[in-house]
Structures are given as C-alpha cells and as structure tokens.
Amino acid sequence: MRLQSALENSITPSKIILLLVLLAALIVSIIILSWVPPVSRDALTHHLAIPKLYLTHGGIYEIPHLEFSYYPMNINLLYLLPLYCGNDIVPKFIHFSFALLTAGLIFNYLFKRLDLFYALLGALFFLSLPLIVKLSITVYVDLGLIFFSTASIIFILKWIESRFKLKYLIISACWCGLALGTKYNGLVVWFLLTLLVPFVYVRRGPGGGINQGKAAGYAAIFMAVALLIFSPWMIRNYKWKQNPIYPLYHSWFSQLKTPALADISTGYDGDKRNADANIKAGSTPARERIGLFGYRKIIYNESWWEIALVPIRIFFTGRDGDPQHFDGKLNPFLFLLPFFAFIRFSKAESPFRTEKWIWLVFSLLFILIAFFKTEMRIRYVAPIIPPLIILSMIGLQQLNVWVLARYSADSSRIPRVLTTAITTTLLLINAFYIMNQFKEVQPIGYLSGRVGRDAYIESYRKEFPAVQFANRNLPANAKILSIFLGNRIYYSDKTMISDPAILLKAIGKSDSSGKLSMDLRKSGLTHLIVRMDLFDNWIDNNFSEKKKELIRLFFKENMKLIYYKNGYGLFGIEE
C-alpha cells in the first residue's frame, strides 16, 4: 500500500495540468502549421492530384499513365468534398483527425491499464512525435493506416479479453480491411494479424493446444472479412489490370518492373541529390538490378554493419527529405523505453503480459518485413508507432515502480525526479522538431497576408510559375509531358502526362529531330515542361553521342521556348 501511495504521490496534479496545456498547445501548433497551401510531393502527385482528376472527369476512371491511381484510396476519397468546394487545405485537417483518433485509442488503452498521467503522456508523446507532426501537417494517408491498424489490434485484444467472442474478431477484421483500403502497407498488417489470430487462440483458447481447427476457422473468418472490406479496390484493379493489387505485381507471379526512364518523372521530391543518384545508377532503376542492400552500399556508401543496423538506426538518425536517413524522424525513447516494459522488477506477474508481447511481436515483425522487402522509409513502418508508444509508457511506469521499491516507498522524490527527467527529455526532442517546422513551413507569413498563395507555393515548388503560365496561356486541349517534375501534377489545370516512356520510345526509334517531333505529336503531346539541369545530366549519362546530337537538334529546330523561370522551361512542340 505504501508503494502504491508513493507512486500516486510522484504523479502530482500539476503534472496532469501541464500535460493538458502542452497537448492543447501542440494541437494549436499543428493547426497553424497546416494552414498553408499544400506543397508536399505525395499530395501533389496523387493524394490531391487523383481526386482532382476524378472531380474534373465526373467520377472515378482509369488513368493509365499515373501508377498512383491504382492504389487503394479510402482516405483520398474523403478529400473530394473540400476539393469540390475549392479548398485544398482542409484535407490536411482530415488527415490530422486520424492522428487525434489514434491518440484517443492510446489514451483509452493506457488509462484503463495504467493511469491518467501515463494515458495523457502517451497521447502527447504520440501526437508530438516528429513523424506524426510531419504527417499531421501534410495531405497523406498514413495517419489513416495508423489509426485503422491500431484499432484492429485493440479489438483483437478485446476478443482475447472477452474469451473469444466472435463479434470483436469481426470488428477487428473490419478495421483491418479499412487499413488495406488505405494503403498497400496494410497488407503487412493483414498478414501479421491473420497469423496472430490462430496463434493466440491456440495458446489462450479454452481448448488449449488441441483446438487447432477452431483456431484456423477464426483465422479464416478474420482474413475473409478483411478482404471483403478491401474488395472494391481489388475488383477495380482486376477489372482494369487483371491484378487485384496492381501495381505491386504485373500479374499473380511476376514482380512489377518499373518502366525505363522512370527516374525522369519521379526523382525524390525534386531533390537533385537523389535524382543524381538515380542518374548515376543508370536508366534502369538500380534497386531492381542490385537489390536493396546493394543499392544502399553503392549509392550511400554504407558498410554491412550500417545496413544491418537500419532497423535500429531509424530511431536515432532519421532525417526529413533524406532517403539515406529514411525520410523521417522518430524519437530515441521510442526504442529505449519499451525494453523496461519486459524487465521483471518484481515476482508479481504482469496483468497484461500477453498484450505486451502482442504489441512487441507485431512491431518487430513489421520492421523486419519492411527492412527486407523495400527501401526503408520511416513512413513505411508507421503502424508500429502506437504499439511502441504504449510499450514506452508501460516501461516508464514499471521503471518508476522499480525505483520506488528500491529506494524507499516513503520517499517519492527519486521517482518524481526520474519521471520528470525522462518525460522532459523525450518531449523536448519533439518540441525542438516542432520549432524547426515553423522555420521550414513558415506559416506566419502566409497567415498574416505578407506572402500570397502563389508566392508561397513558388517558394517550395520552383516549377509552379511555369505550370501557372501554362494554365493561363495554353489552349484548353493542350497536353503537356512533364520531365523531372517529380510527377507533381496537382496544380496543372491542363492535361499533364508524367509518362517518361513516351519520350524514351520516341528517342529510341527516331533518326531525325523531325521524326522525333512527329512521334511526340502523334502521341497527342503539344508541350513539354522540363527541369533543365536534371534533364541535361540525364542526357549526358544515358545516351550515345549520336542520340545526344539528335536531342540537341530537336530542342533547337522543333521546340519553341515559351516560358522559363527557376530552371524550368515550358516548350511548345512544333510540327
């Protein structure tokens, strides 16, 4: 009793009030950071671009030259209404709402198992995490995936707690199906949870290890219900591409091959550093030829041990906008604190031992699958964040209990200092990131009216003036091929194609600049928008002298420069 009293005394009301104030300040900060025009790459390539095309067309339709249009789009469809009303900032708040919902799940779970302090701290830790802040102020879909996957796991825990009532398993499967329909990373969630269901039932079910048939039946139910929720997107893709999960695979058995010259359209958020790396690797994407680990070794000059430590490095060395450093930032405490959740500081058995292991196993397997299957991006493993937040809070609470028991239950000073020190440090790491976001996003100038919408967008997207010139001056039937724009087509009101294979094919079969021009015109193209520095580098590294001369003559004799600014040129293709 004395230990429990000391533990309660170490968590003072003032700390609760402080956490509430910080939570409110964080939400206000995210709202301010979000209230600017969208400039993030994925928003402009598909999360806003595809819904805008659907609105223009009057409904969902196949867009063959945009691979992103074949992705599941549960969250993207929510962006249709604000776009229809002419607002492209509200989608950020729709996306942020899923972070708030996830924070609610974390709070509710920790409040029931620990107390109010750790529940509030867990919600605050989650919402202030650098990756979550970055996602909250951009038009992505990852926060939806995080929410749906967390809800699915929580209802599996409810299924276990209720002694395997079927309704909780079905609810969990429905959440998992929504995760599948949000992003293809949900396939990993579905795979892991489908395996988890029979394993848990065999270990914890009333029949012990004997009732394996019933365990398999539960797994089948979970798998089928999740796929049923996901099925509209599978049916769509099967109708269009005869592959329900296109573009992950060309067919059921052959892995997708990225078209040659894909580097010309994608790049990495317009980052010359990454584009140059792709150019250096050649016209065929390097990852397909040398593998994920070989790619890191050659392009990033990493040793074998640096590559092996990638699943740990993501917690310590993440950096926004840097593919070598996983294009995102976490917090080291997200890696360190969960260890304490599994250290037994007393002989008493943890009342939720099984739940802790479920959170841990899910996180570990998810990281390992991502590590071996794709080039690591922190966003790709985002569903592990709520489990690790929960384990971090359990670990912090157990550490607090251990210190109390070790030093004296009569004195709460040591655990009070310990809890305060850890909490302050982990929140300061997140706070510094948020302050840097204000420097990077610069919302005050826009909100105060000192910077207009067009000027704000141009400061982040240098191609914007060329796109705007095309919107205002080209005929309605203009069809533009974008070169090294990173597929960022959202701000174009004209038909803009990001299919570099058109140019590659035309160059390959042409023996004169006139033939090249004619072939491009036959494909319906009337104009090109080109980022000139990357285009010149690509030409120098990928073509023979004969083809270089052909391209030079083509730009001199058959292309008319209409507009040029910030290194981007708008050209008309002359007959």
Side-chain angles (χ1 to χ4, degrees):
M1 292 295 292
R2 288 192 305 166
L3 180 63
Q4 180 62 30
S5 176
L7 181 61
E8 291 174 355
N9 289 336
S10 70
I11 309 301
T12 61
S14 61
K15 289 184 178 180
I16 301 296
I17 295 173
L18 178 60
L19 288 180
L20 289 171
V21 171
L22 291 176
L23 197 57
L26 172 63
I27 292 173
V28 171
S29 296
I30 290 177
I31 291 174
I32 293 173
L33 287 168
S34 299
W35 220 298
V36 293
V39 293
S40 58
R41 177 184 181 272
D42 284 7
L44 305 187
T45 59
H46 57 293
H47 297 312
L48 289 178
I50 303 301
K52 179 184 176 181
L53 290 174
Y54 287 167
L55 287 172
T56 302
H57 187 265
I60 295 175
Y61 71 110
E62 185 175 10
I63 313 174
H65 68 276
L66 289 179
E67 189 177 88
F68 307 116
S69 65
Y70 296 97
Y71 291 0
M73 304 189 73
N74 280 350
I75 306 299
N76 292 330
L77 292 183
L78 297 178
Y79 302 152
L80 284 169
L81 182 58
L83 288 179
Y84 178 79
C85 297
N87 190 305
D88 53 15
I89 294 177
V90 168
K92 296 183 184 182
F93 299 117
I94 294 175
H95 192 223
F96 176 48
S97 68
F98 287 100
L100 294 175
L101 290 171
T102 307
L105 292 178
I106 293 171
F107 174 88
N108 185 62
Y109 180 90
L110 292 173
F111 182 71
K112 290 180 178 179
R113 284 155 179 80
L114 300 180
D115 59 30
L116 177 60
F117 173 80
Y118 292 105
L120 282 173
L121 180 58
L124 179 61
F125 189 19
F126 171 76
L127 288 174
S128 65
L129 201 68
L131 177 68
I132 301 302
V133 170
K134 192 68 173 180
L135 292 173
S136 297
I137 63 175
T138 50
V139 187
Y140 282 6
V141 299
D142 302 81
L143 293 175
L145 175 63
I146 292 172
F147 170 70
F148 295 137
S149 60
T150 304
S152 185
I153 298 173
I154 284 178
F155 273 93
I156 284 182
L157 300 181
K158 288 181 179 290
W159 174 63
I160 298 170
E161 186 180 8
S162 69
R163 300 193 63 80
F164 305 103
K165 289 184 179 179
L166 184 60
K167 69 174 183 178
Y168 292 115
L169 184 68
I170 292 176
I171 294 173
S172 174
C174 289
W175 287 121
C176 186
L178 291 173
L180 283 167
T182 298
K183 193 171 183 177
Y184 277 137
N185 299 48
L187 289 168
V188 181
V189 177
W190 172 76
F191 172 74
L192 292 177
L193 297 188
T194 300
L195 291 180
L196 176 66
V197 166
F199 178 79
V200 168
Y201 187 81
V202 167
R203 293 292 299 272
R204 305 275 297 183
I210 302 174
N211 203 354
Q212 296 179 0
K214 197 168 185 180
Y218 279 131
I221 291 172
F222 181 91
M223 178 175 63
V225 171
L227 289 178
L228 180 64
I229 301 296
F230 179 48
S231 62
W233 301 114
M234 292 196 295
I235 293 170
R236 179 202 65 171
N237 282 357
Y238 187 80
K239 180 180 178 181
W240 286 346
K241 290 292 185 179
Q242 291 71 55
N243 174 8
I245 56 172
Y246 185 88
L248 293 187
Y249 294 89
H250 266 321
S251 63
W252 291 99
F253 303 106
S254 63
Q255 190 170 359
L256 174 68
K257 299 297 182 184
T258 306
L261 201 64
D263 305 325
I264 239 185
S265 65
T266 56
Y268 187 81
D269 205 17
D271 189 334
K272 188 176 187 300
R273 174 180 45 191
N274 184 80
D276 284 343
N278 284 335
I279 291 168
K280 173 184 173 183
S283 59
T284 302
R287 286 178 289 271
E288 292 183 4
R289 295 187 284 110
I290 59 179
L292 296 172
F293 301 146
Y295 182 85
R296 293 197 71 91
K297 181 176 178 61
I298 293 173
I299 301 300
Y300 303 139
N301 196 30
E302 292 183 345
S303 63
W304 67 267
W305 64 267
E306 288 177 306
I307 296 172
L309 289 177
V310 162
I312 297 175
R313 287 170 54 202
I314 62 174
F315 296 95
F316 295 89
T317 64
R319 193 180 303 162
D320 287 344
D322 187 341
Q324 181 180 0
H325 294 91
F326 324 117
D327 187 27
K329 185 175 177 60
L330 293 175
N331 186 307
F333 281 95
L334 203 60
F335 176 81
L336 299 172
L337 286 177
F339 283 102
F340 295 100
F342 296 90
I343 298 176
R344 292 189 64 174
F345 294 117
S346 67
K347 295 181 179 180
E349 185 69 36
S350 172
F352 36 92
R353 179 173 177 270
T354 298
E355 295 183 4
K356 290 192 298 184
W357 280 104
I358 287 174
W359 292 120
L360 179 66
V361 170
F362 174 83
S363 301
L364 288 176
L365 292 179
F366 202 108
I367 288 178
L368 290 175
I369 290 172
F371 176 56
F372 286 106
K373 293 296 292 182
T374 186
E375 186 180 359
M376 182 64 76
R377 298 282 190 273
I378 290 177
R379 283 193 296 118
Y380 298 168
V381 297
I384 72 170
I385 292 176
L388 293 180
I389 293 284
I390 288 170
L391 291 176
S392 295
M393 294 303 100
I394 295 173
L396 182 58
Q397 192 260 5
Q398 289 196 178
L399 182 61
N400 203 5
V401 170
W402 175 76
V403 173
L404 273 171
R406 181 177 177 86
Y407 287 95
S408 172
D410 295 322
S411 172
S412 61
R413 181 178 179 182
I414 293 176
R416 185 179 299 176
V417 171
L418 177 67
T419 303
T420 301
I422 294 177
T423 301
T424 301
T425 304
L426 69 87
L427 292 181
L428 277 177
I429 293 172
N430 294 351
F432 285 132
Y433 179 85
I434 295 170
M435 288 189 289
N436 285 330
Q437 284 303 295
F438 273 90
K439 296 178 182 178
E440 180 180 327
V441 177
Q442 299 181 12
I444 304 304
Y446 177 77
L447 291 174
S448 67
R450 295 197 310 269
V451 179
R453 177 181 169 90
D454 287 359
Y456 182 88
I457 297 171
E458 182 182 350
S459 66
Y460 292 90
R461 293 299 166 210
K462 300 302 181 183
E463 75 275 8
F464 184 71
V467 173
Q468 284 291 79
F469 183 89
N471 290 340
R472 294 165 181 161
N473 295 278
L474 298 189
N477 64 347
K479 188 175 182 180
I480 307 168
L481 177 64
S482 64
I483 306 296
F484 277 116
L485 263 66
N487 287 327
R488 295 185 294 271
I489 65 171
Y490 169 70
Y491 285 116
S492 177
D493 296 331
K494 308 300 180 183
T495 300
M496 184 176 286
I497 306 296
S498 298
D499 187 359
I502 296 175
L503 181 60
L504 178 67
K505 184 178 179 180
I507 293 174
K509 70 177 185 178
S510 298
D511 54 10
S512 69
S513 61
K515 178 71 164 53
L516 176 56
S517 175
M518 183 176 63
D519 287 344
L520 292 177
R521 297 286 299 192
K522 281 184 178 179
S523 66
L525 295 174
T526 59
H527 297 80
L528 269 68
I529 290 183
V530 183
R531 178 173 173 176
M532 298 306 300
D533 59 341
L534 297 186
F535 184 69
D536 288 342
N537 285 348
W538 175 76
I539 295 297
D540 288 340
N541 285 276
N542 290 275
F543 289 96
S544 65
E545 292 301 322
K546 182 178 180 180
K547 289 298 183 182
K548 290 178 184 178
E549 179 63 18
L550 170 66
I551 297 169
R552 188 188 67 80
L553 288 175
F554 170 66
F555 272 82
K556 180 180 179 180
E557 299 177 354
N558 302 93
M559 295 278 279
K560 180 181 179 181
L561 180 62
I562 301 174
Y563 183 87
Y564 183 87
K565 188 177 182 182
N566 299 332
Y568 290 85
L570 172 64
F571 297 87
I573 305 175
E574 299 185 339
E575 298 184 12

